């Protein structure tokens, strides 16, 4: 009996020791990998790009986790590969999937991902988890200031502009209000629609009023007087407006609306004040297995890649390479704000706009 106990204890001790040794080894590997990425990221000599390109060629691979549309991401990676000869492996999922997969792998010591291309909110969450490498690119001064977090652990590379659309057979341009309060007019009763999850847009518009309280009060009055039909999906909402089922929608993505309009649908866009913009960006993993290729791709995304994106009607952030249209005023919805105050605004949106509709 005692021998069995001793054997069991000995196995437990050996098992614990093995686990401890493995944990130490894992930590050492992580530390070494992070130090390698950090050293490459900190180099700022005049030959930075040349050194990155040479290092990337030796590494010979790059892995990107993204929530970007398949065709748009392929356009960028194909152009990058054509320029530098580095093949790119892409894994695509929802923004939340990209966040969860990246964190799960890194915390388990599996360093597969080099670059995250994802929504700003999820990138900011990764930054707060300490798994991203700060990149002080010389291109950052060319980027919209609000698209560059102070910590430089990620940078905004593209935006989804949230605009309004209307069916031109049902609504005349001359009818459109010049301010949000104009939608309180009884003529809009039963004619308005909004997307189910757009609490971030809701917060941005509410804060455009002289006070936040006035903005929230506007939405309460709007729902009480004219009401708003709630639909799920921006593309669906765009198509419903184009078909005439919805005369006017507050929240669709501009690139989809422009495409539908160019296809001949009776649809046009409108904005009031600054256009709320959802930020998407690029970041390098602190444990990137191909650090030169990762940093080179990060640089490409915010420089030459901007023209590739712009040709596909994507709104980009490098305003030196791709200037915004004249008189366009954009209000970037802060990803940090969404992480810190998202629940408050999500709850308000549900209470005021989407509840039982």
């Amino acid at each position: 009996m005692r021998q069995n106990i001793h054997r069991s204890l000995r196995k437990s001790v050996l098992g614990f020791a093995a686990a401890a040794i493995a944990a130490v080894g894992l930590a050492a590997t992580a530390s070494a990998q992070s130090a390698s990425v950090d050293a490459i990221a900190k180099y700022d000599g005049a030959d930075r790009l040349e050194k990155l390109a040479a290092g990337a060629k030796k590494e010979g691979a790059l892995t990107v986790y993204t929530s970007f549309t398949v065709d748009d991401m392929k356009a960028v990676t194909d152009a990058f590969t054509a320029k530098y000869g580095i093949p790119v492996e892409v894994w695509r999922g929802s923004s939340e999937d990209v966040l969860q997969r990246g964190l799960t792998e890194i915390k388990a010591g599996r360093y597969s991902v080099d670059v995250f291309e994802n929504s700003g909110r999820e990138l900011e969450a990764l930054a707060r988890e300490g798994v991203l490498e700060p990149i002080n690119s010389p291109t950052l001064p060319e980027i919209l200031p609000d698209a560059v977090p102070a910590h430089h652990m990620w940078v905004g590379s593209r935006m989804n502009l949230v605009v309004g659309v209307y069916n031109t057979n049902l609504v005349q341009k001359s009818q459109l209000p010049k301010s949000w309060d104009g939608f309180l007019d009884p003529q809009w009763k039963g004619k308005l629609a909004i997307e189910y999850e757009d609490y971030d847009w809701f917060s941005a518009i509410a804060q455009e009023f002289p006070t936040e309280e006035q903005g929230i009060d506007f939405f309460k009055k709007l729902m009480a007087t004219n009401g708003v039909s709630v639909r799920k999906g921006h593309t669906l909402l765009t198509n419903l407006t184009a078909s005439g089922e919805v005369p006017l929608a507050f929240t669709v993505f501009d690139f989809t609306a422009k495409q539908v309009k160019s296809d001949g649908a009776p649809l046009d866009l409108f904005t009031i004040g600054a256009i709320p913009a959802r930020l998407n960006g690029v970041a390098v993993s602190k444990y990137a297995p191909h650090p030169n290729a990762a940093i080179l791709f990060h640089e490409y995304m915010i420089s030459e890649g901007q023209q590739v994106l712009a040709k596909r009607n994507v709104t980009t952030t490098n305003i030196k390479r791709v200037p915004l249209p004249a008189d366009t005023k954009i209000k970037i919805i802060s990803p940090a704000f969404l992480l810190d105050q998202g629940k408050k605004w999500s709850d308000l949106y549900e209470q005021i706009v989407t509840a039982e509709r």
Side-chain angles (χ1 to χ4, degrees), residues 273-287:
I275 305 171
R278 289 180 175 175
L279 196 59
N280 302 272
V282 61
V284 172
S285 169
K286 196 173 183 178
Y287 310 100

Side-chain angles (χ1 to χ4, degrees), residues 20-52:
I21 291 169
V24 170
L26 193 63
T29 300
S31 179
Q33 188 64 27
S34 176
S36 172
V37 176
D38 191 57
I40 295 168
K42 280 184 165 55
Y43 184 77
D44 61 356
D47 59 345
R48 175 177 179 265
L49 270 182
E50 289 78 6
K51 286 177 74 71
L52 288 173

Side-chain angles (χ1 to χ4, degrees), residues 48 136-142 299:
R48 175 177 179 265
N136 295 309
S137 166
T139 304
L140 293 182
E142 300 176 6
E299 184 65 31

Side-chain angles (χ1 to χ4, degrees), residues 26 29-30 33 63-66 89-92 96-116 126 129 131 285-289:
L26 193 63
T29 300
Q33 188 64 27
T63 298
V64 177
Y65 288 2
T66 183
E89 180 180 342
V90 174
W91 182 85
R92 184 184 181 280
E96 181 65 22
D97 288 341
V98 170
L99 168 66
Q100 292 303 327
R101 176 168 175 159
L103 276 180
T104 300
E105 290 183 347
I106 289 172
K107 288 182 182 295
R110 296 196 303 273
Y111 306 129
S112 302
V113 60
D114 292 299
V115 170
F116 292 98
L126 286 168
E129 289 288 339
V131 300
S285 169
K286 196 173 183 178
Y287 310 100

Side-chain angles (χ1 to χ4, degrees), residues 17 29 70 104 125-126 153 168 180 229 257 265 268 307 310 313 326 341 348 355:
T29 300
V70 174
T104 300
L126 286 168
M153 291 184 190
T168 55
W180 290 106
S229 172
D268 209 350
Q307 282 99 329
N313 295 317
Q341 298 193 42
L348 280 171

